[in-house]
Amino acid sequence: YDSEFVLVPRARLSEAMDCFSDRLPLDRLPSPPRVASAVDGEEACTHGYPLHVLEAHPTTILRLERQFEAWHLSALLRLLFFPEPGDPEQAVVSLAWSPDNELSILAGVTSWWTEHCSALPAGLSGIDQEAMIPICIRDAGLNETGVVAAMAQVLSASGISILGCSTLSGSSQAGSLATDFTLVPVGQVQEATRAFIAAGFNVDGAEGSNNHERSNG
């Protein structure tokens, strides 16, 4: 099981909640992004950002019970802040602590981290689940809408489950920029790539990345 968090600007929280309220007439609800099919002939809902398929960076998400966090502290410090010489670059590393005391760790499948989790599994869950491949969009405007939703719609239509994660990658005159990661099961990454291409997205292809994003929240 997992917990999904969707963050919206505080000033627009009421407007966002109204989108899910039965008080709003159905004809006023915003339409979700629609992906064209060969049957309906309508234009696919896409965006202009290229998608980068980071097949060289399989990634997993683990849950750590808070009472065991001290047992893994040195490994977490190495993973998140102080990599040792020779540690491989990762596409994304994230630590999330939710109000209901969940501690989730998103990290690449590296030999030392895998060995640590296998040797000291106390408090960890999700070790045996299938790894996921990040598909990222770099430097999208944080205030833009529909960027991630359009990708999610394509994958949902193909029956592919996803995990989402975003980081701040910089800023411009228009505002903050984000790197959005959509992770798909490693066994379905080729299917996901074909679905994006069929829907009209610009897919850079399966390649590694030297861009290293860290998100700690």
Side-chain angles (χ1 to χ4, degrees):
Y1 302 98
D2 61 6
S3 298
E4 306 287 351
F5 293 87
V6 178
L7 286 81
V8 299
R10 184 174 183 177
R12 303 191 68 182
L13 178 60
S14 295
E15 182 182 351
M17 294 304 296
D18 281 343
C19 292
F20 301 101
S21 173
D22 56 7
R23 294 174 298 172
L24 193 63
L26 292 178
D27 59 358
R28 290 183 54 201
L29 286 173
S31 299
R34 191 165 190 275
V35 179
S37 68
V39 177
D40 58 35
E42 295 185 14
E43 184 178 355
C45 178
T46 63
H47 51 68
Y49 297 104
L51 307 184
H52 305 275
V53 183
L54 307 181
E55 279 196 292
H57 296 280
T59 302
T60 59
I61 185 167
L62 304 178
R63 181 180 185 272
L64 174 60
E65 296 178 34
R66 294 301 310 278
Q67 62 264 37
F68 291 98
E69 63 182 18
W71 295 30
H72 303 275
L73 182 58
S74 61
L76 290 175
L77 288 173
R78 176 180 174 181
L79 183 72
L80 294 165
F81 301 111
F82 306 110
E84 295 184 359
D87 284 354
E89 289 284 325
Q90 301 190 58
V92 61
V93 180
S94 177
L95 178 68
W97 180 12
S98 70
D100 49 357
N101 227 26
E102 291 180 351
L103 188 63
S104 296
I105 306 157
L106 185 70
V109 180
T110 59
S111 57
W112 77 265
W113 175 243
T114 301
E115 290 171 2
H116 168 81
C117 295
S118 298
L120 189 61
L124 291 171
S125 57
I127 296 175
D128 297 327
Q129 68 183 355
E130 183 181 13
M132 308 186 84
I133 297 297
I135 300 175
C136 80
I137 301 169
R138 298 192 180 100
D139 296 336
L142 191 61
N143 293 326
E144 293 186 51
T145 61
V147 176
V148 176
M151 296 175 62
Q153 182 73 4
V154 170
L155 297 178
S156 176
S158 298
I160 300 174
S161 61
I162 66 171
L163 177 68
C165 179
S166 297
T167 66
L168 284 179
S169 56
S171 61
S172 67
Q173 291 183 344
S176 297
L177 302 175
T179 297
D180 296 310
F181 295 88
T182 299
L183 293 93
V184 302
V186 66
Q188 294 182 290
V189 66
Q190 297 302 326
E191 181 183 355
T193 301
R194 290 193 295 268
F196 282 129
I197 293 173
F201 284 83
N202 177 12
V203 181
D204 269 7
E207 62 180 15
S209 171
N210 293 322
N211 183 41
H212 186 61
E213 299 284 349
R214 289 184 180 271
S215 169
N216 305 299

